[in-house]
Amino acid sequence: MARLWLSCLFLPALVMSVAANVAPKFLRNMTKATLPEDLPVGAEAFWMAAEDLDNDPLTYGISGPNAYYFKVTSDTGEVKLDSPLDYETKSWFSVSISVNDGHNNPVQKDFQVIVEDRNDNAPVFQNTDFSATISEILPVGSLVFSVLATDKDTGSAGVVQYYIERVIPSTGDSKDLFGILSNGSIILNGSLSYNNKSAFYQLQLKACDLGGMYNNSFVVQCSSPVFLSISVIDEPDLDPQFFRESYSASVSEDAPQGTSVLKVEAMDRDRGVNDNVTYVISNSTRPGWFAIGPDGVISVSGALDREQLLEEDEEVQVQVTATEVHPNIYGQEAKASVWVTLRVTDVNDHNPEFFNCSLPTCTFSPQEAQDNFTSSVDEHSSARIPVDGLTMAVYDPDKGINGTFLLSLTGPDQAAFTVSPGKASGSTDVQVLVRSPALVDYEEKTVMLVQVVATDSASKNQSVAWVTIYLRDINDHRPTFAHSQYNVSVFEHSAIGTVVTSDVHASDPDTGEGGRITYSLLPGPGVDIFAVDPDSGTVTVRNSELLDREKQAVFYLTLQATDGGGLSSSTMLRVKLLDINDNEPVVIGSYNIFIQEETGNVSVIIQAQDADEPGSNNSLLHFSLLPSTYSQNFSLDPDTGLLQNLGPLDREAINPALEGRIVLTVRVADHGVPVLSTEVNVTITVEDINDNLPIFNQSDYTFWVKERDPGVLVGVVKAQDADQTEANNRISFSLSGSGANNFLLRGSVLGPGQAEGHLRLPADVSLDYETQASFNLTVTAENPDPQGAKTTAAVFVRVEDVNDEPPTLDPASLRGIRVAENGSQHGLVAEVVAHDVDTNAQLEVQLVNVVCTKAGADVGSLCQGWFSVLANGSVLINQSEAIDYEACNLVTLVVRAYDLMTDPRFQAYSDNGSLPITIEDINDNVPYFLPESKTFVIIPELVLPNQQVASVRARDDDSGDNGAVLFSILQVDFVTKDGATTPYQGFFRISTSSEADVFIGNIELVTSLDSTLQGTYQVTVRAQDRPSAGPALEAQTTLNLFTVDQSYRVRLQFSTSKEVVGANTNEIKEALIQATRTTVYIVDIQDIESTARTRGRSYLDAYFVFSNGSALTLEQLNVVIRADQDSLTQLLQLGLVMLGSQDRQKLDEPMLLRTVVLGLGVALVLVIVIMSTAFVCTRKRYQRELRAVKAAKEARKTAAGVIPPASAIPGTNMYTTERANPVLNLSTKDLGFESQSSSSDVDHVSLNSLDDNSVDLEKSKEKIKKEPLHSAVEPEPEPEPLSVVLAGRQAGFTNAGLDTTDL
C-alpha cells in the first residue's frame, strides 16, 4: 500500500519531465538565401540554424523537388551546393528545410532560394543569313544591313554592344568604310567604287555585353565572330576609256584611198555593265584625209602630200571620240576622246633647186629661185676661206635619202676653189672656198668663174648654178732690214734720252700707204728700259735706274718695221752695258756662332761679294773689324775675312743682359771710285754650362687647408737658379710622397731663373680630415737637363677638420634583441650607439617610427608604447606588462642619429636604422621525436669517417629559441648477437640542421669501425631546446644501427677486364638489385692476378643488405640469383663467370712466398721430383678412370628430364647439404668426389665452372665452345665417358664443367 502511494506521488513529476522536452525551431532569419548562379559545386551555400531549449543534438535535412541542388551536413546544418545553379533556367525556387531533435517530430519550413544573375552568357547573333547587296552610288550614311544579338543575362551584362573587328580587304580606305550603331545597324561611312575600290567586302562582326561579375571578377563576354558579306553593284557612271593614252602610226604619202592605217579600241570602264562603244573622228588637222569605221579602224580617205606637212612635223592629228551605246545614270552620253598622230612618210618626187637666200630666212619661194650668182675675194686668201657676198642655198623638199643631194664644182677656175658642203639633206647654205691661194692672184686674173652642181642622191637628177668671183688687190710686200742683228753699247745708268744707236733702218718696195714704215720695239726684256723713234728708228735710253749692268749686262731687243698695210719684219739689237762702281759689297749669309764657354773657339770666314765687274777695282774687297766692347778679344784677316778669338771666352764675363751674345761689326769695302762699303754683324753666342742648382727660398713649407673644399689653393713654393740661360735656369716642380695624387702643383715663371709652384687641389678633389689629417710631401725643383741635379724641400699639408660627415649608427648596436613577454623584463634592454668621425660632433638618437608585426603581418600601432628611445641611445621598456607575444612577436624600432653641430652645408642625419626586438614566447613545450620508418645499416668496411650513417627528426611546438632543438649523443652501446653489451664513446657525432619547423640530426661516423664485429650499435640521442631564459627541456630516443661484417662480403668474377666491369657497374648493380631485392654496396673492382688458376679476368666485391639490417650470404645469393632467370641472363651477358667468398679466393701471399722458396729447393733435386711426379700421375690416372666408370654407371641410372631447363649458375662450385651437385642433382658420394672444403684445391674450384660454356637462351640449349689448341697437329682426344653417357640421355643440357678427364 505504501508503494502504491509512492507511485502516485511520482507520477505527476514524470509527466512534467516528459512534457518539458519541446521541439526545436528555426531562427527567424531562416526564410530565404540569395546565391550567385556561378557558385561552384561543393561550395558553402548557407547554414541552417535552429535553436532547441533542451539543447538536444539536432539533425538537419532538405527535401522537396529542388532538394537535389544541395547537400546537407546533417549534424552541423552546413549546406553545400550539389548541383550547379542557372539564373536563366530558374531564377528562384523553394525547398523544405527540416530539423529534428530526436524526441519530437521533425520541424519543417519552406525556404526560398533566390538565384542572382551572373555574367555567364555571351551575346548570340540571331540572324542566319549575313549577306547584302548595295549599289556603288549608295549615299554616305545609308543603311547597309542590320544585325541583332541577344544576351540572356540581365542588367549591364545583358546590354549588347556591336563592333566591326575587321574589314576584308584590309586596305587603308576600307578600314573605316563601314560603321555600326548601337542598335546593330551597319551604315556606310565612305563612298564606294566598283572599279576603283572593291566589288566585295566582308565584315567580321562581334557583339559584347557591358560586363558583369562572374566567378568573383568583372568579366566582359563576347560572342563568336560572324562574317557579313557585302556585294557592290556596278552602275554606268563612268565614261569609256581607250586602251592606250595615245596612238600613233605612219602612212606613205602615195598610199591609195581605203588603206588601213591604225585601229583604236575603247572599253566601258563600268566593268559590271560593259556597254558597246561606237567611234567617230571628231576633229582633224587635215579634214578629209582620213576616216574611221565602226570597228575603230582608221583608213586613208583622200590624197596625201607630205610636203604640205613640213611645218606640222609631217604629222596629221586626228581626234577620235568613243561613245557608249546607252546613256549613263545621269541620262547623258558617256564618251571619251583621244588624239591619234598619223605621220605621212616621204617619196622622192622633187629635184634639188638653187635659191638666192640664207638659212634660216629662206622661204624657198619661186621668187628666190636663181641660177647665177656673184661674189668677191682678196687675192692670195688662205685655203678654206669662203668668197664674200655669196648667198646661195640648195633645197630639196623630199625627206631622208630622197632629200639628200651631192654638191660639186666645175667650170674654168674650178682648180682654184672648192664647194662646201659636199653632201646635204633637205636644205643647206652653199659656200665657195679658196682651194689654192697661189692661183688666186690679182696680178694674173681679176675675175674668175665656177659652176656649182647639185645631184639628187636617189634619182641622180642635177641642177646647175654659175658663180662669178671678183678678185681684190692686197699689200703683199713687207719691210726688210739689211742685217739680222746689230751690236751696240752704252754705260749703265746713262741718262734718259741718251742715244744708243741711230744707224738701224728698214726698206719696203711697196708704194703709197703700203710703203710707209713705222718702227717699234716688240715686247720682251728691255722694252721698258729702251725706246725707239717710230719714224726715224733712233734707239734711246728710256729708264736710267733699270739700266743696271749687275742685274743684266746684255740686252737683246727686237726692232720691228711695219708698213701701212700692216706687214712687218724685225731685226735683233744686242745692247751691251758698260760698268761703273755703283754697287756696295754684299755679305753672303748671316753669322750666328754658338760655342761653349771656356772650351769653344771661333773660326769663321766672312764671305762677301761685289756685283761690279769682276777683276776690276770696283769688285776688289777689304775686311776690317770695327771697335766694340768685346772686339779686342778677336782678330780679322783684311784680305780673307777670317775671324778668330784671341783667347778663351767666359760666359760669366758677359753682361747678363746680353744673354751670352757678343755682337761684332765687320766692315767690307771695295777699291772703286768712289769707295763703297757695307757692314755686317757677327753674333757669337757663348753657351752657358749648367753649373748652378735651383734653390728653394725655404727648406720646408707648412700649409693649412680645410677639408671638403675642392679646387682651393694650398700654398706656394719658390725657387731660383743662378744660371744665365733659360735652358739651364728654367725650373720645373714635381710633387711626391704619400697622397701626392690628391694635389696639383703647377709652376709659373717669375723672371729669369726664378719660378714659383702653386700647390692646389683639383676641381673634383677635396680632402677628408677623417680619412687623412695631414700629408707629408716632397717638392722637387730641377732643370730640364736630364743630367742636371735636383733640390728638394719638405711640404707639410695640415687638413683642418670641418663637421661635414653625417653620423652613423653602429650596426652592432642594431642587432636584434629578444624581450620576453608579460612583464618578464624591465628597464634598459639595448643601447643604440652612434658615431661621428668629426671632432666636434654632438650626437643624439631619435626614434623615427615603430613597426609592429605578427608572423610577418603588420598589426598596426598596438606596440607603439612598449618601448622608448632616449637621446643617448638607451632603449627602455615602457610597458612591460603590455608586451604580448600573441599580439605582436616582432617590434622594429626605426631610429636615426642627429649631429647638432653639423655644418649647414652637409647632412646632419644618419641613415635610418632598424632595431628588431623579438618578443619571446615562454618555453612550455618539450621537444619530441618524429617517428621514423627507416632501418639504419652500417657496413664497417664501406663507411668512412665523416660519413652519415643515420638521422633523427624532432620538433618543438615552441617558437623562436624555445622551439630550436639541439641534438647530442648521450650514450653508445654495442650489443653483440649473443646479447653482450659494450659501451663505446667517441665513435659517432651528431650535427643539427632544420627544414621549416623540423630539426634534423645527422649522425656521422667519427672513426673507422671494426669490420669483424657482428651486432648492433644502440645510439641514445637527446633533443634539447635552447630557451632564452629558464631551464631547457629535452627528450631522448635510442637508434639501432645494424652492422654487416666481412663474412657477408661476396666476390663475383667476370670474364672481362676491370675497366669493362667498371663501365657496366650500373647495369650489373641493377641486375643484382632486381634479383636480390637488397641494397648492393660495391666494395672493390680489380683485375685477377695471372698466377690464380681461374677463367675470370676481374672480380667485384660487394655486400647485399636488406632494409632490416640482415645481409645475404654466398649460399643465399646463389639460391636467389638462380631463382631470377632474367637477372641471371643479364649477368651472364655482362660477363659473370663465378661466385665465391673473398676468403676462398684471396691469394695467400705468405703461402706464395713459401711456394717460391720451396720451388727453388725442389730445383736442386729435379730428377727425384720428376720421377715421383711420374709415379703419382700414373697411379692417379688409374684411380680417376675407375671413378669415371663408376660415375658413368650412376649416370645411366638417372632418369631423363631430372636436369632443370634453367641455365646453370656459373662458377658456384657449391653443393647442397647432401653433397649434391646443383647441375646434375646427384649425390657426390655416389661419384666419389672429394670434399671441396679446402679453398686451396684449385682443381675443385674449377670443377663445375662454366667458363667454357656459352648459353643460348633463345634456343633453350647449351652449345660448347672449345678453345683452339695451341699445337698445329694434335691427336684426337679419347671420348670422355660421363659426357658420352649424358649425351645419350637426351637431357638437353651439356655441362663441360663435369669433364671427368680432369679427374
Side-chain angles (χ1 to χ4, degrees), residues 668-719:
V668 182
D670 59 20
H671 291 78
V673 178
V675 176
L676 301 178
S677 64
T678 186
E679 296 177 356
V680 63
N681 289 333
V682 178
T683 301
I684 302 172
T685 301
V686 181
E687 295 181 346
D688 187 26
I689 298 176
N690 189 11
D691 53 354
N692 292 282
L693 294 177
I695 299 174
F696 284 98
N697 62 344
Q698 295 178 218
S699 60
D700 59 74
Y701 299 87
T702 300
F703 303 124
W704 291 86
V705 62
K706 289 185 177 182
E707 65 170 335
R708 303 293 290 268
D709 280 345
V712 299
L713 178 66
V714 178
V716 178
V717 298
K718 293 183 179 180

Side-chain angles (χ1 to χ4, degrees), residues 4 79 117 271 274 300 382 463 564 628 734 765 837 859 904 1165 1168 1204:
L4 180 59
V79 180
D117 187 24
R271 291 176 295 177
N274 197 19
V300 178
S382 301
S463 298
S628 64
S734 61
V765 174
V837 295
V859 295
V1165 289
I1168 299 175

Side-chain angles (χ1 to χ4, degrees), residues 1053-1056 1064 1068 1130-1138:
Q1053 288 191 10
F1054 291 83
S1055 61
T1056 56
N1064 298 331
I1068 295 173
Q1130 185 177 0
L1131 291 171
L1132 291 175
Q1133 293 174 350
L1134 293 173
L1136 179 65
V1137 297
M1138 182 181 295

Side-chain angles (χ1 to χ4, degrees), residues 727-784:
N728 292 329
N729 64 19
R730 188 173 60 209
I731 302 172
S732 61
F733 298 98
S734 61
L735 193 65
S736 61
S738 177
N741 56 342
N742 292 312
F743 301 90
L744 292 177
L745 182 59
R746 294 180 179 177
S748 60
V749 178
L750 299 177
Q754 296 182 355
E756 65 180 7
H758 294 264
L759 182 65
R760 64 172 58 250
L761 296 177
D764 58 345
V765 174
S766 61
L767 302 181
D768 188 3
Y769 175 84
E770 290 73 24
T771 303
Q772 188 169 350
S774 63
F775 296 86
N776 293 329
L777 308 175
T778 301
V779 60
T780 302
E782 58 183 328
N783 298 126

Side-chain angles (χ1 to χ4, degrees), residues 103 115 149 163 195 279 311 456 777 887 1302:
H103 300 285
V115 181
Y163 302 92
N195 298 284
Y279 304 92
E311 295 182 358
D456 192 307
L777 308 175
D1302 293 337

Side-chain angles (χ1 to χ4, degrees), residues 380-384 414-418 433-441 448:
H380 303 303
S381 293
S382 301
R384 304 298 297 176
Q414 64 172 350
F417 299 94
T418 184
L433 309 176
V434 175
R435 180 180 182 184
S436 176
L439 297 179
V440 184
D441 190 355
M448 305 184 79

Side-chain angles (χ1 to χ4, degrees), residues 937 939 977 1043-1045 1047-1050 1078-1079 1081 1102-1114 1116-1117:
V937 179
I939 301 176
K977 290 187 176 180
T1043 62
V1044 178
D1045 58 79
S1047 64
Y1048 293 94
R1049 180 167 175 172
V1050 178
T1078 63
T1079 301
Y1081 297 90
Y1103 290 89
F1104 298 82
V1105 183
F1106 290 100
S1107 59
N1108 61 359
S1110 60
L1112 287 177
T1113 62
L1114 178 61
Q1116 293 170 338
L1117 180 62

Side-chain angles (χ1 to χ4, degrees), residues 1275-1295:
E1276 183 177 355
E1278 296 180 2
E1280 199 274 317
L1282 183 57
S1283 299
V1284 172
V1285 175
L1286 294 177
R1289 295 175 64 246
Q1290 303 296 325
F1293 188 89
T1294 302
N1295 188 352

